[in-house]
């Protein structure tokens, strides 16, 4: 999938590299996704220098809406999308059928939690970073 600049990446570039990674499936048109984003922004600020990374996978189909969502929500972590909406390749790979949907991956690349939000992410993240 491509980032907003058009550079193509694979999800495998971001997982299993010694960092705990939250893969966040979202879209700019999704109210629950937008509601969750301030919490993720704070988590990222708090833990990004402690071995934590977030990769956003947008299920948007319009590049302008995606870019506006990233800007409006103060998202500063890696964003990827193939702009295919619900036909997103990453969403298919992880069995995503609703958003927001999260996948938490440990330092070794093992999925340790799926579809967790809010304080559940905090607890699992703190646990994973201790290992």
């Amino acid at each position: 999938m491509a980032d907003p600049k058009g550079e193509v990446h694979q999800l495998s570039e971001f997982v299993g590299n010694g960092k705990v990674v939250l893969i966040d499936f979202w879209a700019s048109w999704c109210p629950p996704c937008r509601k969750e984003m301030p919490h993720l922004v704070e988590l990222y600020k708090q833990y990004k220098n402690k071995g934590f990374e977030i990769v956003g996978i947008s299920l948007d189909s319009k590049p302008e809406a995606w870019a506006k969502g990233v800007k409006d929500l103060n998202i500063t972590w890696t964003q990827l999308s193939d702009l295919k909406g619900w036909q997103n390749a990453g969403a298919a790979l992880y069995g995503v059928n609703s958003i927001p949907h999260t996948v938490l991956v440990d330092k070794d690349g093992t999925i340790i939690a799926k579809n967790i939000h809010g304080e559940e992410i905090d607890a699992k993240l703190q646990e994973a970073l201790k290992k």
Side-chain angles (χ1 to χ4, degrees), residues 24 26 33-41 73 75 77:
D24 178 43
W26 74 290
C33 301
R34 295 179 76 92
K35 184 179 178 199
E36 181 85 6
M37 210 54 77
H39 180 75
L40 294 184
V41 168
L73 296 166
I75 299 170
W77 52 86

Side-chain angles (χ1 to χ4, degrees), residues 8-126:
V8 177
H9 299 274
Q10 295 181 341
L11 273 175
S12 58
E13 292 173 39
F14 302 97
V15 296
N17 62 4
K19 289 188 175 187
V20 176
V21 180
L22 182 72
I23 304 170
D24 178 43
F25 294 91
W26 74 290
S28 65
W29 45 261
C30 165
C33 301
R34 295 179 76 92
K35 184 179 178 199
E36 181 85 6
M37 210 54 77
H39 180 75
L40 294 184
V41 168
E42 284 307 310
L43 266 185
Y44 189 64
K45 283 180 188 172
Q46 187 175 354
Y47 293 106
K48 70 179 180 181
N49 295 323
K50 297 177 181 173
F52 176 59
E53 190 59 58
I54 300 176
V55 178
I57 307 294
S58 172
L59 272 60
D60 277 285
S61 55
K62 297 177 182 165
E64 313 79 35
W66 177 34
K68 185 175 182 338
V70 169
K71 183 176 184 284
D72 291 352
L73 296 166
N74 301 311
I75 299 170
T76 57
W77 52 86
T78 300
Q79 288 290 309
L80 303 173
S81 184
D82 55 15
L83 296 171
K84 294 181 179 176
W86 284 107
Q87 271 55 71
N88 179 282
L93 182 68
Y94 284 91
V96 174
N97 55 19
S98 65
I99 53 175
H101 184 93
T102 56
V103 178
L104 189 63
V105 183
D106 72 8
K107 296 174 184 177
D108 299 322
T110 303
I111 294 173
I112 54 174
K114 284 184 173 181
N115 215 16
I116 56 174
H117 304 284
E119 291 179 10
E120 286 180 289
I121 295 174
D122 299 27
K124 280 285 189 187
L125 178 57
Q126 288 173 18

